[in-house]
Amino acid sequence: MPSRRTVLAATLGATASLAATGTGHAAERGLRSLVDRMTLPEKVGQLFVMRVYGHSATAPDPADADANRAEIGVRNAAELIAEYHVGGIIYFTWAHNTRDPHQIAALSNGIQRASLARPRGLPVLISTDQEHGAVCRVGAPATLLPGAMAIGAGRSRDDARALGRISGRELRALGIRQDYAPVADVNVNPANPVIGVRSYGSDPDAVAALVAAGIAGYRRSSVAATAKHFPGHGDTAVDSHTGFPVITHSRALWSSLDAVPFRAAIRAGVDSIMTGHLMVPALDGSGDPATLSHPIVTGVLRGELGYDGLVVTDALGMAGVRTKYGDDRVPVLALKAGVDQLLNPPSLQVAWNAVLQAVEEGELTEERIDASVLRILRLKSSLGLFEEPYVDEDEVDLVVGVRAHRASADRMAERTTTLLANEGGLLPLSPRTRPRLLVAGADPASPSGTTGPPTSVLAAALTGLGFTATARPTGTAPSPAVIAEAVAAARDVDAIVVGTCDLTADSPQRTLVERLTATGKPVVAVAIRNPYDLAHLPGVPAVLATYSWTDVELRAAARVIAGRVGPRGRLPVPVPAADDPSRELRPLGYGLTYGDRPTA
């Protein structure tokens, strides 16, 4: 591999090198000069962040090459760059981009080589969604950290900052330089189907503090953090992937609730902000989604909040942005609204040509395109991509998933597990008095790279702590036969641990818990995703909330169950009563200790 500076000198020229390594006015002049030398198709390409299938930039598996041909019209990442000059590529697990750390680093280097080999080639800004908790694209052996709502339960800015630093350091070692995290939405709707535990909580000031701390951690690792989903996705009952949410907050409520974490993110120097595909009539009465709204993106975000950094859309294939306009209009309207990066359109050919045509026909000016390209190049320059586009593949094992990072993840998780009920002081359990445990319950598909299912992880962790724990996964919708088998298995144990996931009043999981409780054996319920499950567990003596079913959270829960550590988390959201949502069953900040004293 040629040296970084040799490659850059050959492909970018002296002016770009000055822009990359200079400071202040000299760097800005160099970047502007670089934009001036680009062709219009190159400029348009820089606006797009696109998916591509395959583990390799040039030699993906045949099935991935076929998928690329079908969806994009190219065979691999190198051809994608050659055809469309894309400025960014996003990694997904389902696109087979993230098999293991060494493969990811090699893919990133291959993408950079392919781009820098082009005439006037530029480094690519590689991104992913590594929120941790429920949403991760890079799995083990990379370090998997607690999710946002778990960090909210721990209430530690230091942990939020450390999470950003550790996550950012590992992503950078893999060549991923833009993370679509942290989530800045304030989750005030227990029925929210898309945000939920991805949010730090329901208190805007607490969310703001943790968002700012997380951004500081990412900045320390020289990875671009992204606050999302502006102007706020926390009070929806519709998933913008599949529908078009409407936020009915008044302007005053939006300002005092949803806007608070985004203001904090801007003060913290966030590198990018992602728009949400949702309508906020109080901010724009046109009926357009925020992503396509000039009053929201330019008027509110850039004007009122004073943000001049990079604005990226949420994925353009989502239903929330496609309900009103065709796929050829969406990218053009997003740019007219004030967006800079266009993320993952359903058809890159349609979107790319639509933007090009809009400029050629005068609907968009080239100066408008230049402004966004300049923001994109500024970010690439600030991240050091012009000077160091490649990663050292030999150093991956020295950074990714190292013992110190994994130990930090375990300590963070121990500060998040929340004890919501403990009648009669059932917890902690002792292997001396209750050695035999049945671990049953929900086993949703594990987030990327975790071992799963949750029942197996919990049982293994409890066995390692001195119990004899038997796993019996019963699923998220157990049949009567499966429930009967679990009840039969409970006859021969001393206590039962049952995991729940997104309970409802008529959920078969609730029937399972009721039948297990009726055996007379002590039952410990672990809400492995939403703490709101508590409202549907009235007869269960002990209830814990973990906020995610990743291994690190479940192992921490096992240590709390066994009394190796005490429960320290506090609810970052209130839990409403099942029969009366206006009544709080547990308030914000509630949490029990093993002295059975509320800490709220």
Side-chain angles (χ1 to χ4, degrees), residues 43-58:
K43 293 176 182 178
V44 170
Q46 282 296 302
L47 306 176
F48 285 94
V49 181
M50 189 61 184
R51 68 191 179 278
V52 63
Y53 291 87
H55 71 289
S56 164
T58 55

Side-chain angles (χ1 to χ4, degrees), residues 28-398:
E28 183 72 6
R29 286 196 302 271
L31 291 173
R32 289 181 181 276
S33 176
L34 180 56
V35 173
D36 290 342
R37 296 203 310 274
M38 295 170 67
T39 67
L40 179 59
E42 288 170 343
K43 293 176 182 178
V44 170
Q46 282 296 302
L47 306 176
F48 285 94
V49 181
M50 189 61 184
R51 68 191 179 278
V52 63
Y53 291 87
H55 71 289
S56 164
T58 55
D61 292 340
D64 289 327
D66 290 343
N68 285 327
R69 275 191 290 263
E71 293 187 18
I72 314 173
V74 299
R75 292 177 300 174
N76 54 45
E79 291 185 7
L80 169 67
I81 292 165
E83 182 70 19
Y84 292 104
H85 318 286
V86 293
I89 287 177
I90 180 172
Y91 287 170
F92 290 106
T93 309
W94 51 260
H96 308 140
N97 304 137
T98 58
R99 290 181 177 177
D100 64 75
H102 286 278
Q103 168 269 317
I104 298 169
L107 172 61
S108 298
N109 281 342
I111 286 170
Q112 300 296 2
R113 278 194 297 271
S115 186
L116 291 168
R118 304 294 305 167
R120 295 179 301 279
L122 295 169
V124 176
L125 185 57
I126 298 171
S127 61
T128 199
D129 292 286
Q130 191 78 349
E131 296 175 14
H132 293 279
V135 177
C136 277
R137 310 302 186 199
V138 181
T143 304
L144 297 178
L145 295 137
M149 193 168 282
I151 295 295
R155 297 188 171 194
S156 168
R157 298 184 191 184
D158 288 341
D159 282 350
R161 189 177 301 107
L163 186 150
R165 177 179 54 80
I166 291 170
S167 181
R169 189 173 180 225
E170 295 198 8
L171 290 174
R172 177 173 176 150
L174 303 175
I176 300 169
R177 303 300 296 276
Q178 184 178 24
D179 191 9
Y180 297 132
V183 171
D185 303 315
V186 183
N187 198 81
V188 294
N189 189 339
N192 196 322
V194 64
I195 303 301
V197 295
R198 297 168 61 195
S199 163
Y200 288 110
S202 63
D203 180 339
D205 292 326
V207 172
L210 295 173
V211 164
I215 290 167
Y218 279 104
R219 287 176 64 84
R220 183 173 174 182
S221 296
S222 194
V223 165
T226 306
K228 61 185 186 185
H229 307 79
F230 189 83
H233 210 321
D235 191 10
T236 62
V238 175
D239 184 345
S240 53
H241 291 84
T242 57
F244 186 23
V246 178
I247 306 292
T248 59
H249 293 177
S250 67
R251 182 65 180 251
L253 179 58
W254 174 82
S255 182
S256 64
L257 181 73
D258 306 278
V260 175
F262 290 101
R263 291 194 192 100
I266 293 168
R267 288 194 299 269
V270 70
D271 291 296
S272 51
I273 291 178
M274 179 180 286
T275 60
H277 303 326
L278 43 89
M279 188 201 318
V280 188
L283 302 183
D284 179 2
S286 70
D288 285 344
T291 296
L292 309 183
S293 168
H294 188 275
I296 290 176
V297 177
T298 297
V300 177
L301 179 56
R302 295 211 187 278
E304 293 181 24
L305 301 189
Y307 182 64
D308 192 39
L310 196 70
V311 178
V312 56
T313 71
D314 207 343
L316 295 182
M318 294 166 60
V321 79
R322 303 174 75 189
T323 56
K324 190 175 178 182
Y325 302 99
D327 292 339
D328 59 333
R329 295 300 298 155
V330 165
V332 175
L333 294 173
L335 290 169
K336 292 178 75 172
V339 162
D340 301 304
Q341 282 186 313
L342 303 166
L343 177 61
N344 205 22
S347 170
L348 180 59
Q349 181 182 27
V350 168
W352 190 87
N353 281 305
V355 174
L356 192 65
Q357 182 178 350
V359 178
E360 291 171 343
E361 294 180 353
E363 183 178 7
L364 287 168
T365 66
E366 191 161 355
E367 289 75 17
R368 168 67 191 88
I369 302 300
D370 288 353
S372 286
V373 173
L374 185 59
R375 285 195 186 96
I376 292 165
L377 296 185
R378 282 185 191 131
L379 180 55
K380 291 181 180 183
S381 178
S382 72
L383 296 173
L385 275 169
F386 285 108
E387 188 175 13
E388 294 188 84
Y390 302 111
V391 297
D392 189 336
E393 296 175 36
D394 293 332
E395 293 185 359
V396 168
D397 292 335
L398 302 179

